[in-house]
Amino acid sequence: MPVQINEIIIRAVVNPAPANNSNSSQPSQAGSKVAEYEAIQKVLEIIKEKQER
C-alpha cells in the first residue's frame, strides 16, 4: 500500500550583513530609508482609499 506525505518543512538561516561597513555608505543608506518610507506611505494611502470605497 503506497504512503503519501502531504507535509514539507522548510528551514532557512539568515545571516545579517557584516558589521564592518565603512562610513561612506551611510549617506546612501539614509537616502534609501527615505525612499522606502515614502513608498510605504503611498501604499498605505492606496489601501486607505480602497477601504473608503
Side-chain angles (χ1 to χ4, degrees):
M1 181 170 168
V3 176
Q4 183 176 0
I5 300 173
N6 293 327
E7 183 177 332
I8 185 168
I9 299 172
I10 300 173
R11 294 183 184 171
V13 177
V14 179
N15 293 330
N20 56 0
N21 292 337
S22 65
N23 290 337
S24 63
S25 66
Q26 293 295 334
S28 64
Q29 289 178 352
S32 66
K33 294 281 185 184
V34 171
E36 183 179 333
Y37 178 77
E38 290 175 354
I40 292 171
Q41 290 299 320
K42 287 180 183 180
V43 169
L44 291 175
E45 288 176 11
I46 292 170
I47 292 172
K48 184 178 177 181
E49 288 176 6
K50 286 188 176 186
Q51 287 179 347
E52 289 177 355
R53 292 184 187 176

